[in-house]
Structures are given as structure tokens and as C-alpha cells.
Amino acid sequence: MAGPSERPRAAVPVMSASVLACLYGTDEALPVEVALRAGPLSMTLRGGHIADLKVAGYEIWHGVTFLYRDPDWGTPEPIFQRTVHKVEGEGFSLLLEGYIPTEPAIDLLLTLHGDAQGTVNLQARAIPRGELMANRIGLCLMHPMHAMGRALEVEHGDGHISRSIFPAQVPPWPPFTGIRCIRHEFAPGHWAQVQFQGDDFEFEDQRNNADASFKTYSRSNTMPRPYVLHSGEPIEQSLTLRIEPAAVQIKPAPAQARPIRLNECAEAAKMPRLGLAIEPADAQASPLVQAALATLSPSLLHLTPSQPQQPVQWMGIAQLLSVSGAQLRLDLSDGVTAASLAPLTMALRDAGIKPESVAIFPGTLPVLTAARQAFPDSAIGSGTPHFFAQFNRMDDAGPADFHSFTICPIVHGADDAAPMTGLQSLPSLLATARARYPASALRIGPSSLGARSSPLGKQPASNGMRRMALAQRDPRTRGLFGAAWLLGHVAQAALAG
């Protein structure tokens, strides 16, 4: 590093960005982390969430939190104004007091106690300051995705026990409901359990929304929603995490961290074709944008008109295709008919554009048949413009050359850990889709950290400077974090074939 007298003089002032802005696209502060320990069980308090609950290096639970989901499934982060943490021998006590920033707000009190035997009790009390609507409110526990295939015992409210394993393929709907206790084998011969009180809990696979966890939550999806939270009426829930005695003496897990070595002779995965999302307004792209497209040279430009009849300057789109060397992927939805396709095909023909592929949402047989007639030289796709959950829950996505869905890693939360760990879920999603549609190709996207749209309701307003679940604009997209996530996303797709 050059000393002051050795640095060359700059001809013009240089703007410097903060380290946070370079990494995350925003100067929004990172949450404070506090290490906690209850005997053999270690964990981390990250903001208002308990994460990474481990024994001897084995991750037993992925996290515990208290969440409010609004009528559009938005998830405002609790704000804690008072934190009291005490170490008590080989255990701890923790108090978190604050509120959920709804309108009106919900006062929230969380108390935790961990003992030397590896038992943690969490009690939650939430009191709305006024009447408001909710789709869900309560405690949420996540088991890690790598529990796949591990033994699982679920005790239900009526006392009967279901014995199973954590699923490998992604079930579309909750496989367990009416839960009182979950006991699972986290390492060969070693078990842990969690008991729930205060509501009707059920279990679902969060890989449906590109998370790397299995989630147990309240209240049940079978109950009406949204529902009213009444002013001054407390919501009280609790859970108890317990390490069974035999697990206290478990040998440490093998170390996972190791150097990464690149071998040019090693077997490599085939690089998938990469496309780039564009909008109708990009038909008027500036020379600077066109030059960037030429440099990127994507295989596809992916255009989604709001409806088949939407006016598009197709000559401008043809210019983008020409300068980028890309082909056109066209997505159509909202009342596609044979009649609505006729003027579109004429406009494309006049502009000299032959779409490489056309996806129709929803892909019913009559509409897909009409699309094949309108675009005989194009691959015809179906599926959903939304998340894998919507794709996985379709009774039938229709007979198509390819099926498609998108990835957004901030459906449930926007902390930095979730998008990165969620990358592990992509191979499971592809394996599940292939099992359902073995004769169909799979295409993912357009995918990004932000949610381009939401099938769940109105998205939260965002200026792109804060991390917010389900927001269209995520600041990390313009930081190194976003670049790393995108690279990992492509790598996982490639490794999954």
C-alpha cells in the first residue's frame, strides 16, 4: 500500500463506496450476533432469530423464530428494543422485548432458558395494539435440509405417532399436521426432540420456496385466512428443544471445511444456457445497454408482455436480439386464446422474429394446442411464472416441450444466510420436477434475489435499500453478494444437470 507521499494524484475526484455497499448494495447495518450455549447445544442469536443449533458440529435445528405473516404473506421483521442476556453456569437466559412494525403494531416478548443438559425452552407472547388481519402468527422451527432420509417420529394432538423419514423429493403439501412433538435422528443412533404448545402446528417442506429447511409452524393451512387479531388479546405459544441423553456424549462430526482445489482434468458439468430477462420498454434500449448486451451475449432474451395484446415495438426487440446474438423466449399469460395469438404472430413475422420458445401460463391443452399451431417452429412450454411451490402444487402442468418455474430465495425472509443456504435446494427441486414430468425439459427463471412478482398478493413497497421478504427490489442484487448468489445458482443448476 503506497504511503501518502507516494500515491499518484487523481485527475478527478474519486467516489468511494463503503465495504457494506460493495458487498450488499446498501449500508443497512448487519444484525448483531450473540453466541449462546446450553450444555452441549450451541446456537447463535442473530437479530431476533435463533440459528445454527448444533451439538458436536451436527446441525440439529436450522433455526427458531417468531413470525407474523400479513394478508399478502409479507413478513415484517420484529424490532427488539430491549435485550437481556445472562450466562447461568453451562446454560443461559435471554429476554427479547420489542414489537412487530405492523399497523397497528404488535408488542412482542420472547423469553428463552437453556440448561446444562441441552434443553431450551422458548416462550412467546404477542399482543396486538389494535385490530388487524393476519395469515399467520406464531413460532416457527426449521429442521435442516440435510436431514433428508433421517428417521422422524411425529406425535399428534390425539396422541398417535407417525413414523417416517424426512422426504427426499419435495412434497407439495404439508405431510404432517396436528403436531404436538417431533423427534428425529440427527446422527446415527442420536435423537433430539421438540415439543409445541399453544396452537395447531404442522410441518411443510420449505424447499418449495427455495429454502434449505423443513418448517414446523402455526397455524394450519386448513384453517380460514386471513383472520382477525383482536386488540389486547395475547397470542401465547411455547416450544421446548431437548437433546436426548445419549446424544450428550456424541463424537464430534467430521470437519466440513477443506481447501478448494481446482483440477483442470476433473469432470465438469455442462454449462446450462443462460438467458436475460427484458421488458417491452427495453425495445428503446440505449446504445450503452445494447453494447452491454453484445458483451454478455446471452443465449436467450426472455420477454414477458403483460398480455398477448400488449403493444410492443418488435423492431426494437429484433435489434436487441441482433446485437446480443440471442434468441427470443416469450412468456404469455392472462387469457391466451387462439384469437389473441393471431395478431401477435403477424407482428413477430413483420419484425422478422421467430421465437425460440413460447411458454403459456396456465398451460391447458386447448391453449397449448393453439400455441403449437401459431408457433410451429418454437418449443412450447408450460408451468408457472411463479415459484416452485406453485408448480409443484399443480394437478397437471399440461403436455409441453418444457416446463418452467422461477426461483426467489426471499419468500419467507431476507436475512443474508437464507439465500445462500437455499442454493442447496435447487437439485431437489429439479429431481422432483423430473419425477413428475420425465419427458419434459426443464427451464428455470427469470430468477433473482428480488421477487419479480408474487402469486401470494401485494408485494411490500421497497426503495431497494433494505432487505425485505418478497420485495421486488433487493439491494444485494447490485453488490458482490448478488453476484455470488447468481454464480451459485448457475453452478447448482449445472451440477443438477
Side-chain angles (χ1 to χ4, degrees):
M1 191 108 179
S5 62
E6 302 169 325
R7 294 175 187 154
R9 293 182 179 273
V12 294
V14 177
M15 296 295 290
S16 62
S18 72
V19 172
L20 283 179
C22 291
L23 292 175
Y24 303 107
T26 177
D27 285 321
E28 184 182 26
L30 299 176
V32 175
E33 295 191 354
V34 178
L36 304 173
R37 178 170 291 277
L41 182 64
S42 65
M43 67 209 78
T44 301
L45 173 66
R46 184 177 298 130
H49 308 279
I50 306 296
D52 304 327
L53 294 96
K54 298 178 179 180
V55 166
Y58 291 93
E59 185 181 27
I60 301 178
W61 295 287
H62 194 56
V64 186
T65 190
F66 187 95
L67 296 176
Y68 164 82
R69 307 299 302 275
D70 69 23
D72 296 308
W73 295 103
T75 314
E77 279 288 321
I79 297 172
F80 292 104
Q81 300 159 306
R82 180 171 174 245
T83 301
V84 180
H85 171 219
K86 295 180 181 178
V87 176
E88 299 175 344
E90 295 185 43
F92 70 93
S93 65
L94 179 66
L95 179 145
L96 298 171
E97 187 173 14
Y99 65 97
I100 299 172
T102 52
E103 186 57 48
I106 303 172
D107 291 317
L108 179 60
L109 178 66
L110 304 178
T111 57
L112 292 91
H113 177 77
D115 65 23
Q117 285 70 49
T119 298
V120 175
N121 179 261
L122 168 57
Q123 297 188 357
R125 179 181 174 90
I127 304 178
R129 297 179 189 173
E131 194 169 280
L132 73 160
M133 303 297 291
N135 272 345
R136 184 173 294 154
I137 184 170
L139 289 168
C140 178
L141 175 105
M142 279 80 73
H143 287 81
M145 194 189 85
H146 58 72
M148 286 187 304
R150 291 284 185 192
L152 175 71
E153 294 181 357
V154 178
E155 180 184 346
H156 301 272
D158 60 5
H160 85 275
I161 294 177
S162 301
R163 291 180 173 86
S164 185
I165 60 172
F166 286 93
Q169 291 190 9
V170 185
W173 301 104
F176 304 106
T177 59
I179 296 171
R180 178 190 296 167
C181 177
I182 296 179
R183 182 174 178 261
H184 79 286
E185 187 181 39
F186 65 87
H190 297 290
W191 292 71
Q193 61 176 275
V194 54
Q195 294 178 310
F196 301 91
Q197 288 185 335
D199 208 331
D200 187 15
F201 287 84
E202 66 185 23
F203 173 106
E204 72 176 11
D205 195 328
Q206 284 211 115
R207 290 177 294 173
N208 269 306
N209 285 293
D211 291 326
S213 62
F214 303 93
K215 178 177 70 175
T216 305
Y217 57 91
S218 67
R219 67 186 196 166
S220 171
N221 281 317
T222 61
M223 302 176 74
R225 62 173 186 253
Y227 60 101
V228 179
L229 303 181
H230 294 288
S231 177
E233 290 189 7
I235 298 105
E236 296 180 314
Q237 297 180 7
S238 66
L239 60 79
T240 301
L241 307 168
R242 183 173 290 109
I243 307 301
E244 298 193 357
V248 174
Q249 304 300 324
I250 187 173
K251 294 181 180 179
Q256 296 297 315
R258 61 185 184 277
I260 296 175
R261 303 186 185 281
L262 300 180
N263 183 347
E264 63 183 19
C265 299
E267 182 179 351
K270 183 179 179 181
M271 187 72 168
R273 297 171 67 197
L274 300 181
L276 195 66
I278 61 173
E279 298 179 355
D282 291 321
Q284 299 175 333
S286 68
L288 185 64
V289 171
Q290 294 191 32
L293 279 176
T295 301
L296 288 169
S297 188
S299 295
L300 298 169
L301 293 183
H302 192 148
L303 179 64
T304 307
S306 59
Q307 53 186 357
Q309 299 89 348
Q310 180 184 0
V312 177
Q313 295 183 16
W314 289 110
M315 294 303 296
I317 299 298
Q319 174 67 12
L320 294 184
L321 294 169
S322 176
V323 299
S324 64
Q327 295 177 292
L328 179 65
R329 154 82 181 266
L330 191 60
D331 284 4
L332 303 174
S333 57
D334 294 333
V336 178
T337 64
S340 69
L341 292 176
L344 175 61
T345 56
M346 291 181 59
L348 288 167
R349 189 183 308 118
D350 291 343
I353 299 174
K354 286 187 177 181
E356 181 271 346
S357 51
V358 179
I360 309 291
F361 308 126
T364 62
L365 180 58
V367 172
L368 292 174
T369 300
R372 291 189 191 281
Q373 295 172 350
F375 302 100
D377 299 322
S378 305
I380 303 301
S382 180
T384 177
H386 300 303
F387 314 135
F388 184 79
Q390 284 67 46
F391 177 76
N392 202 22
R393 291 169 181 171
M394 288 180 170
D395 292 333
D396 187 359
D401 300 318
F402 68 91
H403 287 97
S404 180
F405 58 90
T406 68
I407 295 293
C408 170
I410 62 168
V411 173
H412 291 119
D415 62 285
D416 292 333
M420 292 304 184
T421 57
L423 291 170
Q424 303 170 46
S425 67
L426 188 53
S428 297
L429 307 189
L430 296 176
T432 303
R434 285 196 183 100
R436 289 195 63 187
Y437 303 100
S440 174
L442 295 174
R443 297 192 179 187
I444 311 168
S447 301
S448 66
L449 285 173
R452 297 174 68 245
S453 62
S454 172
L456 307 175
K458 182 181 177 181
Q459 292 178 262
S462 171
N463 62 4
M465 296 305 294
R466 292 180 54 211
R467 301 164 174 85
M468 298 175 65
L470 268 180
Q472 282 189 336
R473 302 175 64 191
D474 190 289
R476 294 165 293 187
T477 299
R478 57 178 174 264
L480 291 175
F481 183 101
W485 179 84
L486 187 60
L487 182 62
H489 178 68
V490 173
Q492 288 290 78
L495 290 172

